[in-house]
Amino acid sequence: MIPELGHFALAVALAISLLAAVVPMIGAQRGNVLWMSLARPAARAQLVFTALAFAALAHGFVTNDFSVAYVANNSNSALPLAFRISALWGAHEGSLLLWVLLLSAWSCAVSFACRGLPLAFVARVLAVMAIVSVGFLLFMLVTSNPFLRQLPPPLDGADLNPLLQDFGLVIHPPMLYTGYVGFSVAFSFAVAGLIGGHLDSAWARWARPWTLLAWCFLTLGIALGSWWAYTELGWGGWWFWDPVENAAFMPWLVGTALVHALAVAGQRARMLAWAALLAILCFSLSLLGTFLVRSGVLSSVHAFAIDPRRGVFILALLALVIGGSLALFALRAPRLASAAPLRLLSREGLLLLNNVLLLVAMGSVLLGTLYPLLMDVLGLGRISVGAPYFDAVFAPLMIPLLLLLGIGPFLRWQASAPPGLWRRLAPAAVASAALAMVLPWAWGAWQPMVALGLGLALWPALSVLTQVADRARGGLSTLRRQPLAWWGMNLAHLGVAVFVAGVTLVRTQQVEIERRMAPGDAIEIGGRTLRFVGVAREPGPNYEAERGRFVILHGGRAEAELRPEKRRYASMPGTPMTEAAIASGLAGDLYVALGDPLTDGAWTVRAYHKPFVTWIWGGCALMALGGLCAAVRYRRDRV
Amino acid sequence: MTPRRKRTLIIALCVLGVGFAVALILTAFNQNLMYFYSPSEVAGGKAPGNRPFRLGGMVIKGSVERGNAADLTVRFKVTDFAQERAIAYRGILPDLFREGQGIVAIGTLDAQGVFVASEVLAKHDENYMPPEVAQALKDGQATKMAQP
């Protein structure tokens, strides 16, 4: 009964969103206040019904209702409750329901928050978001219904893919989707502004906190996905330039550009059309990412959907939304006022350069991701673009960006560089160059790459410190009076510096040892001794594990124990899953995974020392925190 | 410097920058394109002799030999039901590697015609076969059936 109610709720949500897409839009065109005022309640009603559908599916998972095909395919009575709930978004249909729920939630939030805006504009914004909802709800009801029944129901479910039974999975998709979907707000603002033929700096100021919030979530979502791959896949890698990773990274790059462009547009009323275009591009990439993941065109860790009908539907949706919005932009943008040309060495100029660099980076990632697909579709052969391409192209583009990062915040709006600029920056510049040369040499790890990476990490960090020191010169009270947005900017930039430092050090200094170890054997790694004690059997809730014991010794004294496992899940008895054991710290990780059992109780063992790898995720967390600070206390009235 | 000359300078710098970026991208692209070949294509001499490429097929049952346990070498054979090819790999094989399963390996052919793999990919669940391998297996079977 409940799954059918859920199905019905989805159908009602579709009807409401159809109404919300059409009526307020026409009302805004005609100036009909009654029709326009339908937008807000419709958005809220849509959330109610989507939430009901979500709850119905969750109920199916919690009560182990295996008559629902989706529950039967992704859950199991022995699966722990937390994973049963997260299994809801573990495969195609459920993750689409999550997408739609989040879209409804963002629409509802916009309907509550936009009180100061003109009704026609709000009506249009909510109508555009409703159009996207219609597309996805239709897609779900026609091709990907999560409430399909399977009769007779199986005795027990097929279980969630063991790779997904991890804490990271519980929060990675919701975070990621919140980010993806959140960019639809900026998109809707842009399209609504273009339809109305009116874009001004107020539009940019209203759009910015929403975009920042979405960007925060996307940053966290990507970082969580990377951390999950690192802990779950057992090979110690944290970024593979996998097409699905790229599908999330591209909107992030454009989102970063958008956040910076909106800063210019909001404060200086320039680059407005450019910001609108970026908003359209950003959400288009989110939709493209959805297509890449959902249509099964790629063979990667995430390929769940294997039905070509779905691919065609999404492609059509993509063409309509992206094509339509770009056409609208081409028609309406020339009408928008163009400002006087920018000075290069001003804050706007550098932000424009920031945008250009980020877009070129996105373009190169897009090329590498789509080219194999294109070749396959045209029948020109099956190729793949390896990770070295992305590394070779992305890293050099980031060098000028990181250099600009240190300079930008010191420049004034619309004015060229103040005379004392180089004097103010010199200490930070000299210090970063000097430390970058000296530190690696002092640690005995001198390589040009390490020096370059450290230099590029130190420069933004020291620039942030210089800024704080400058403000602090007026006393602690001056420092405290700085707006939260300023702190946010510096935190985020500091996060970038920490991230770059982490990546440089892990990539150049990591050590990998693969060896046969018998009980009692020990290896030296990362300044520690790792001794293998043995392997014992351990039963789990829905698996059988062989758990190894390793002792970490430092100076002859036992510091900690690592217990990596090899699990055989009841649902996949022929395939063992590796659970790596990680001893994490600020200075790095010691990572151990079991390989294959050999004779006499010996095992092949993989051990890694990954220095400063935690800085990668720490840097991302700082970036997200900075973005949150800037979003929360954004002063819309500031000129 | 007059404003006009300044603008020309900026435009020239931009063009240079974009040109550099494009050249960088295209070079890196060309050097890192990796083609996929099935065992039949390798047997037919279509695979490059000195560049890494991807080889995929089904692991033949009973063909996995582990060498001297201390140095983690392992040898096995893959087939597309028409031709087979020996692969040598040094390291720990991924969990999803099994006899009778489809895999994709990245590496180069050595002088003896053995494919020396630097990476063996099996990043999918046990019931899923990479599309390229499935296609290669289908082509292989078609070739076999076409032969009288």
Side-chain angles (χ1 to χ4, degrees):
Chain A
M1 188 57 197
I2 297 204
E4 273 68 34
L5 281 177
H7 192 185
F8 183 62
L10 269 184
V12 173
L14 175 62
I16 295 177
S17 56
L18 264 170
L19 211 67
V22 172
V23 172
M25 189 71 86
I26 300 180
Q29 287 298 106
R30 296 214 188 138
N32 184 330
V33 177
L34 184 65
W35 285 24
M36 286 193 277
S37 49
L38 190 62
R40 287 203 176 104
R44 296 164 197 177
Q46 188 186 320
L47 177 61
V48 169
F49 283 95
T50 336
L52 278 173
F54 193 82
L57 192 59
H59 179 263
F61 273 97
V62 171
T63 56
N64 284 322
D65 183 357
F66 297 124
S67 66
V68 177
Y70 185 71
V71 178
N73 288 332
N74 292 290
S75 181
N76 187 278
S77 48
L79 193 61
L81 182 63
F83 293 137
R84 285 218 300 276
I85 296 180
S86 72
L88 207 156
W89 50 79
H92 177 75
E93 293 86 345
S95 52
L96 273 179
L97 184 53
L98 181 67
W99 223 98
V100 167
L101 176 70
L102 289 167
L103 186 57
S104 311
W106 280 98
S107 299
C108 188
V110 171
S111 79
F112 275 113
C114 289
R115 288 191 204 287
L117 286 174
L119 185 58
F121 186 69
V122 176
R124 288 197 179 104
V125 168
L126 291 174
V128 173
M129 293 186 83
I131 293 176
V132 181
S133 304
V134 166
F136 274 86
L137 280 165
L138 208 58
F139 179 55
M140 280 192 75
L141 286 167
V142 170
T143 70
S144 321
N145 187 353
F147 297 107
L148 289 175
R149 293 273 198 181
Q150 184 176 335
L151 295 165
L155 275 176
D156 209 339
D159 207 2
L160 183 63
N161 186 339
L163 271 178
L164 308 179
Q165 289 184 31
D166 177 83
F167 170 69
L169 174 74
V170 176
I171 43 177
H172 156 70
M175 287 275 171
L176 197 73
Y177 286 9
T178 308
Y180 265 2
V181 176
F183 284 129
S184 71
V185 178
F187 171 77
S188 309
F189 269 74
V191 172
L194 285 170
I195 293 178
H198 184 66
L199 277 179
D200 59 6
S201 57
W203 162 83
R205 284 201 295 276
W206 276 98
R208 194 155 183 245
W210 297 101
T211 318
L212 273 167
L213 215 56
W215 180 87
C216 284
F217 277 106
L218 190 59
T219 308
L220 284 174
I222 297 177
L224 278 167
S226 161
W227 179 73
W228 167 45
Y230 173 74
T231 53
E232 262 302 295
L233 293 181
W235 294 298
W238 51 273
W239 191 258
F240 308 92
W241 293 108
D242 186 82
V244 167
E245 292 173 323
N246 296 344
F249 193 48
M250 288 188 286
W252 187 87
L253 287 170
V254 180
T256 312
L258 178 60
V259 161
H260 289 88
L262 282 174
V264 181
Q267 299 213 357
R268 294 287 128 181
R270 284 159 160 249
M271 288 168 62
L272 280 163
W274 175 245
L277 184 63
L278 278 181
I280 294 176
L281 188 61
C282 188
F283 187 58
S284 306
L285 284 169
S286 293
L287 287 179
L288 181 69
T290 310
F291 169 64
L292 285 177
V293 174
R294 299 272 159 258
S295 62
V297 291
L298 311 164
S299 55
S300 78
V301 193
H302 283 69
F304 343 124
I306 324 176
D307 187 342
R309 212 171 30 141
R310 294 171 172 175
V312 170
F313 197 113
I314 305 182
L315 208 51
L317 181 63
L318 218 68
L320 269 169
V321 173
I322 300 178
S325 46
L326 285 176
L328 179 66
F329 181 80
L331 282 171
R332 286 296 172 91
R335 265 205 238 164
L336 301 169
S338 53
L342 297 170
R343 276 176 221 259
L344 193 58
L345 215 55
S346 61
R347 194 178 272 197
E348 301 100 305
L350 251 55
L351 284 174
L352 184 62
L353 271 179
N354 152 304
N355 275 194
V356 168
L357 284 165
L358 283 168
L359 281 177
V360 173
M362 186 275 294
S364 62
V365 173
L366 191 66
L367 178 68
T369 312
L370 289 184
Y371 190 75
L373 275 164
L374 217 62
M375 288 292 110
D376 202 2
V377 161
L378 295 174
L380 291 173
R382 295 166 298 225
I383 58 164
S384 74
V385 178
Y389 158 74
F390 294 100
D391 290 332
V393 171
F394 191 74
L397 284 171
M398 289 299 107
I399 295 175
L401 192 66
L402 288 166
L403 289 172
L404 290 178
L405 202 98
I407 308 176
F410 286 93
L411 293 178
R412 303 274 112 241
W413 293 110
Q414 221 158 357
S416 43
L421 177 69
W422 307 115
R423 204 162 20 96
R424 277 163 82 195
L425 287 176
V430 169
S432 7
L435 281 170
M437 294 289 180
V438 167
L439 283 174
W441 179 80
W443 288 332
W446 212 97
Q447 267 176 56
M449 270 299 148
V450 177
L452 180 65
L454 271 184
L456 287 173
L458 281 166
W459 166 236
L462 290 176
S463 158
V464 164
L465 278 175
T466 313
Q467 280 185 72
V468 175
D470 276 352
R471 308 284 162 118
R473 223 178 278 154
L476 209 58
S477 54
T478 322
L479 206 58
R480 253 187 288 154
R481 264 191 283 124
Q482 295 304 313
L484 200 57
W486 180 83
W487 285 108
M489 170 184 80
N490 284 321
L491 264 176
H493 289 170
L494 196 64
V496 175
V498 169
F499 177 82
V500 172
V503 170
T504 309
L505 291 167
V506 159
R507 284 222 138 160
T508 52
Q509 306 301 324
Q510 77 174 352
V511 174
E512 174 183 335
I513 300 184
E514 277 186 353
R515 196 168 296 175
R516 171 189 186 274
M517 288 181 90
D521 285 352
I523 50 176
E524 301 288 321
I525 186 168
R528 302 279 192 278
T529 310
L530 193 67
R531 189 169 67 213
F532 180 38
V533 176
V535 173
R537 282 193 181 270
E538 284 279 338
N542 52 345
Y543 59 84
E544 272 285 324
E546 296 191 82
R547 186 183 290 184
R549 270 185 70 205
F550 287 80
V551 181
I552 305 175
L553 298 157
H554 186 51
R557 214 170 29 90
E559 255 187 354
E561 267 195 17
L562 285 176
R563 308 225 171 100
E565 291 179 11
K566 211 63 176 185
R567 293 181 184 172
R568 271 172 209 276
Y569 282 82
S571 55
M572 284 168 56
T575 312
M577 290 275 139
T578 313
E579 280 289 313
I582 309 177
S584 229
L586 261 184
D589 281 8
L590 205 56
Y591 184 112
V592 179
L594 290 171
D596 302 304
L598 302 169
T599 53
D600 302 332
W603 281 71
T604 52
V605 172
R606 230 178 302 139
Y608 299 90
H609 173 58
K610 299 212 169 245
F612 298 102
V613 74
T614 32
W615 286 34
I616 295 178
W617 301 298
C620 292
L622 274 176
M623 281 193 250
L625 185 62
L628 186 67
C629 289
V632 158
R633 288 288 208 87
Y634 192 71
R635 289 171 51 191
R636 289 193 199 86
D637 49 296
R638 187 216 294 254
V639 169
Chain B
M1 208 187 279
T2 64
R4 187 135 168 264
R5 247 188 243 163
K6 204 181 203 178
R7 186 136 44 107
T8 324
L9 179 67
I10 291 180
I11 293 182
L13 278 174
C14 284
V15 168
L16 215 70
V18 169
F20 175 71
V22 168
L24 185 73
I25 291 177
L26 289 178
T27 322
F29 202 64
N30 271 316
Q31 282 177 350
N32 287 292
L33 272 186
M34 234 189 301
Y35 289 84
F36 175 89
Y37 298 99
S38 63
S40 306
E41 288 169 331
V42 176
K46 292 207 198 122
N50 53 353
R51 279 183 57 172
F53 62 93
R54 292 176 144 210
L55 173 66
M58 202 173 79
V59 181
I60 301 178
K61 286 203 188 280
S63 68
V64 179
E65 303 165 0
R66 279 171 210 278
N68 181 357
D71 67 359
L72 304 178
T73 48
V74 65
R75 285 173 152 255
F76 54 94
K77 295 208 175 97
V78 291
T79 178
D80 58 351
F81 301 128
Q83 291 279 349
E84 50 183 60
R85 178 70 30 183
I87 299 184
Y89 177 67
R90 183 190 225 145
I92 299 180
L93 289 166
D95 290 331
L96 293 160
F97 175 89
R98 249 175 38 232
E99 297 180 346
Q101 241 351 13
I103 60 113
V104 173
I106 299 177
T108 48
L109 276 177
D110 72 4
Q112 285 81 39
V114 173
F115 188 76
V116 179
S118 58
E119 240 184 288
V120 174
L121 306 172
K123 292 186 208 165
H124 43 80
D125 77 68
E126 63 176 10
N127 296 317
Y128 180 87
M129 187 166 288
E132 311 112 330
V133 177
Q135 185 65 36
L137 292 178
K138 250 198 289 176
D139 292 341
Q141 264 179 329
T143 322
K144 204 173 182 184
M145 290 202 280
Q147 288 164 352

